Amino acid sequence: MTAKSASPAAINVVLCWHMHQPYYREGLEGAYHLPWVYLHGVKDYSDMAAHLERYPEMRAVVNFAPVLLEQLDDYAQRMDALLRHGTPMQDRMLNLLAGIERIPADAAGRLRIVQDCQRCHAPRMIHPYPAFHRLLRMIGATDDVGVGNVGLEEHLCYLSEQYFLDLLTWYHLAWLGHALKQTPPAQRLMAQEKDYVGADRHELLRLMQHCMAGLIPRYRALAERGQIELSMSPYCHPIVPLLNDFANMRDALPDAPAPQAPGYPGGTARSRWHLQYGAEVFQRYFGMKPAGVWLSEGGVSEDALALLDEMGFAWTASGEGVWRSSCLKSGCSDDDKQTKRGLFAPAKIDGYRTRVFFRDDGLSDLIGFKYSDWHADDAVSDFVRHLENIAGFFGSEAGDHVVPVILDGENAWEYYPDNGHFFLDALYAALTTRALLRPDTFARQAARAPARPMERLTAGSWVYGSFSTWIGSEDKNRGWDHLVDAKKAFDTAVASGRLSAEQSGRAARQLAVCEGSDWFWWLGDANPAGSVADFERLYRTQLRELYRLIGVAPPARLDMPLSQGGGWAENAGAMRRNVW
């Protein structure tokens, strides 16, 4: 970009951190199958709040999926009951750590503990801690989830229970965020290195519980003092355009195979339910209605925009690929397309009130993918240089433009040294002190920044500008066909009148769980087999639970795996996604 003016104005920069975990419980009240809500809670959600608290001049948007808020709250309450009354949790890892559940004596049970305690990015979360690394090396465990020596499984039976208790303790210490690691209890436990008794492990659990209980109040306090804008995604994180109409996949994937079903029955009503119920949950925790909605995976369409208009939301956002395809179909000028001028302004789509922002993919992906291997100061200098070049390009008009940087708030940081502490610290320091940069929120920019007219909004997501990550391949389409069949059974049961109001309400919530986007994300060959197995198994479990709640025998095909996987998670999209 070439600067227009020697004296550019400050450009508005919106950092939007999207906080999302799918529903990991078996049914509405069953066991948690995967531990990522509480592990990301004590590591990433905690550290992200701490960085904002440390820089009161910083402004940002923090987006929560409402189903994540419910799980954070549930963990905090159940961890409290465990510590106060010894009440077992519905999470196996925490029960083992607390001693509520004994270390299994059988080789398979012990191997599972070893494998579970390797689920992290080893170069940043195992290798820096010699005591943790030594525990795995001594049994020949590799950096992968598994053990390296053939036949080792049978030898695990000869290890003491203390070995596994120490391994569990170190795994949870490694998952603590940078700020929690600086606390006296964490420092003492890391210095101890081994032989963790019940009192030690309960001290660690108390630290984790205190963190979990404080997360939602901390973000609420940041919003109430005007430092951050809190926004939401639809309740269980469904892909709204695909619920509305499978034809929405055709804007970007005109020739891809579709599910056998012509569409999702009553999909628009279900999308409306996710938005309405999500707003209720959001308001219950934060005491306010959100001004904006990050539609799950940045998945937008004009029929989705109509729902946001109907509910009075001020803004939504998507990816750069959607902006480019919308430009092509809206007759944007060549200058707009070549310079990305139109990317840096909220769009007003003909016939709709809700403003649409578009993610700068290049800048966002630098944080998500590239900078983790850079020195923090070099990374921030590079990022700031890009932003100041954009300000220089717009010159004195820079104040009328906004640069949206949108990415997951939890997934990139374990690839950074010290959970991204030094990078984020330097980034917030630069954004709050550089004359040409003004951190802000989408709500303020939706009200202030001049909107650019756009005739059409093409349907797509932040991943490649399409919905290919969730539909259009054999395995993903099969997942949709299973969901369509379950929805038809649900509709029939509700229409029959044989379900009470309470039963219908519980079934509707279980249906919402089944409609979440993550089940379809993981289906297919682009993802690693272990993670695909975790998610597709849980998806089939959730569908069976829905059939149980409506009093219908689940079809036998739900006993058959939907997908095998075989690739690597980062092949699946533009944002960093872990296998955990």
Side-chain angles (χ1 to χ4, degrees):
M1 288 184 174
T2 303
K4 288 178 57 178
S5 167
S7 302
I11 195 161
N12 302 291
V13 181
V14 176
L15 285 182
C16 178
W17 303 115
H18 172 49
M19 312 299 201
H20 160 58
Q21 296 293 326
Y23 196 78
Y24 291 119
R25 303 185 73 175
E26 181 178 333
L28 299 180
E29 297 174 354
Y32 285 90
H33 279 234
L34 294 166
W36 310 127
V37 167
Y38 83 83
L39 290 178
H40 282 292
V42 299
K43 186 170 82 70
D44 305 299
Y45 307 136
S46 173
D47 267 2
M48 295 298 276
H51 285 291
L52 289 163
E53 290 161 347
R54 194 157 45 245
Y55 286 93
E57 299 304 311
M58 184 63 197
R59 301 290 180 266
V61 178
V62 181
N63 187 86
F64 279 98
V67 73
L68 170 59
L69 295 172
E70 289 184 331
Q71 291 178 97
L72 290 171
D73 182 36
D74 183 68
Y75 264 109
Q77 293 189 46
R78 291 180 185 275
M79 291 171 78
D80 183 63
L82 180 149
L83 289 165
R84 289 178 182 271
H85 310 297
T87 306
M89 292 191 62
Q90 291 172 305
D91 189 292
R92 172 180 164 273
M93 290 283 278
L94 291 176
N95 285 336
L96 287 167
L97 181 65
I100 297 293
E101 189 174 327
R102 290 292 301 272
I103 300 298
D106 63 290
R110 291 184 162 201
L111 178 61
R112 182 182 171 190
I113 292 175
V114 172
Q115 292 172 331
D116 286 345
C117 288
Q118 290 176 271
R119 286 191 168 196
C120 58
H121 184 57
R124 300 296 192 199
M125 297 180 67
I126 295 177
H127 300 170
Y129 306 103
F132 187 15
H133 197 195
R134 186 164 55 247
L135 285 169
L136 292 168
R137 287 203 324 272
M138 67 183 287
I139 62 167
T142 68
D143 287 346
D144 300 319
V145 178
V147 292
N149 295 343
V150 176
L152 180 60
E153 179 178 345
E154 62 187 71
H155 301 305
L156 295 177
C157 294
Y158 294 97
L159 294 171
S160 69
E161 289 191 2
Q162 188 62 52
Y163 170 87
F164 296 96
L165 293 171
D166 285 357
L167 187 64
L168 284 158
T169 302
W170 263 111
Y171 182 67
H172 287 88
L173 285 170
W175 269 90
L176 295 181
H178 180 85
L180 282 184
K181 283 191 175 84
Q182 311 314 307
T183 61
Q187 290 281 301
R188 185 191 73 75
L189 290 168
M190 287 190 290
Q192 181 176 323
E193 292 196 345
K194 61 181 181 177
D195 298 327
Y196 297 109
V197 299
D200 298 323
R201 301 193 308 276
H202 276 239
E203 186 176 18
L204 174 57
L205 281 163
R206 278 192 292 274
L207 179 65
M208 294 165 62
Q209 191 281 331
H210 180 74
C211 170
M212 293 293 287
L215 288 176
I216 293 172
R218 290 169 72 186
Y219 282 102
R220 179 169 178 166
L222 285 164
E224 287 176 343
R225 65 173 174 253
Q227 186 175 343
I228 66 171
E229 176 189 356
L230 289 168
S231 61
M232 73 165 205
S233 294
Y235 173 64
C236 256
H237 211 262
I239 304 292
V240 166
L242 296 181
L243 287 189
N244 290 350
D245 191 344
F246 285 168
N248 278 323
M249 70 184 281
R250 295 294 173 210
D251 267 357
L253 303 170
D255 301 318
Q260 292 181 6
Y264 188 64
T268 301
R270 289 301 298 162
S271 295
R272 184 180 291 108
W273 184 94
H274 278 276
L275 287 164
Q276 291 174 338
Y277 190 70
E280 291 173 16
V281 172
F282 183 97
Q283 190 153 9
R284 182 166 76 243
Y285 285 113
F286 292 129
M288 64 188 80
K289 177 187 173 182
V293 173
W294 169 254
L295 288 167
S296 314
E297 307 293 0
V300 296
S301 58
E302 292 195 357
D303 49 27
L305 206 58
L307 287 172
L308 299 184
D309 268 12
E310 176 187 314
M311 298 184 65
F313 288 109
W315 65 266
T316 191
S318 188
E320 188 172 328
V322 172
W323 171 74
R324 290 190 183 280
S325 57
S326 298
C327 270
L328 287 173
K329 296 185 179 182
S330 297
C332 294
S333 70
D334 289 340
D335 182 56
D336 262 14
K337 287 180 281 190
Q338 291 170 6
T339 65
K340 302 204 301 189
R341 178 191 299 272
L343 187 70
F344 303 122
K348 183 185 185 308
I349 313 302
D350 283 0
Y352 301 95
R353 294 187 304 277
T354 304
R355 299 293 189 262
V356 184
F357 293 88
F358 296 102
R359 171 184 188 262
D360 186 304
D361 286 352
L363 290 175
S364 302
D365 289 347
L366 283 172
I367 297 176
F369 293 106
K370 299 295 184 184
Y371 287 153
S372 57
D373 295 325
W374 292 33
H375 188 283
D377 292 341
D378 293 336
V380 170
S381 294
D382 184 71
F383 191 75
V384 165
R385 177 177 57 82
H386 287 298
L387 292 173
E388 291 181 338
N389 283 346
I390 296 171
F393 170 77
F394 286 113
S396 60
E397 300 171 1
D400 291 334
H401 295 81
V402 54
V403 182
V405 177
I406 307 172
L407 65 155
D408 291 343
E410 66 268 286
N411 283 329
W413 310 122
E414 67 196 77
Y415 295 87
Y416 280 73
D418 299 287
N419 207 40
H421 171 78
F422 296 102
F423 170 77
L424 284 165
D425 189 68
L427 177 65
Y428 286 3
L431 289 175
T432 54
T433 56
R434 293 292 186 115
L436 292 183
L437 307 180
R438 181 187 300 115
D440 207 352
T441 67
F442 282 138
R444 278 196 284 263
Q445 288 303 309
R448 296 175 184 174
R452 293 183 74 85
M454 185 171 277
E455 293 174 10
R456 270 211 61 195
L457 178 68
T458 61
S461 77
W462 66 356
V463 184
Y464 311 138
S466 75
F467 294 114
S468 62
T469 301
W470 303 275
I471 199 168
S473 67
E474 182 179 352
D475 291 359
K476 295 175 190 296
N477 290 346
R478 189 184 304 118
W480 278 103
D481 286 327
H482 280 20
L483 180 60
V484 167
D485 290 345
K487 176 59 159 60
K488 289 177 179 177
F490 168 86
D491 289 343
T492 299
V494 171
S496 73
R498 59 185 173 80
L499 301 180
S500 67
E502 180 182 354
Q503 288 172 321
S504 293
R506 289 178 62 80
R509 285 187 61 211
Q510 181 63 28
L511 175 62
V513 170
C514 298
E515 291 165 338
S517 70
D518 288 83
W519 316 121
F520 307 101
W521 173 288
W522 290 104
L523 299 178
D525 295 334
N527 291 308
S531 295
V532 170
D534 284 341
F535 278 86
E536 76 84 26
R537 222 175 9 241
L538 184 53
Y539 178 49
R540 289 184 288 116
T541 297
Q542 303 292 15
L543 287 169
R544 280 194 291 266
E545 176 64 9
L546 174 60
Y547 281 106
R548 187 190 72 80
L549 288 174
I550 60 176
V552 175
R557 63 180 174 276
L558 286 181
D559 295 330
M560 300 293 293
L562 281 162
S563 187
Q564 300 297 323
W568 171 243
E570 289 183 11
N571 294 335
M575 306 299 292
R576 185 184 294 283
R577 286 292 187 108
N578 295 339
V579 296
W580 35 83

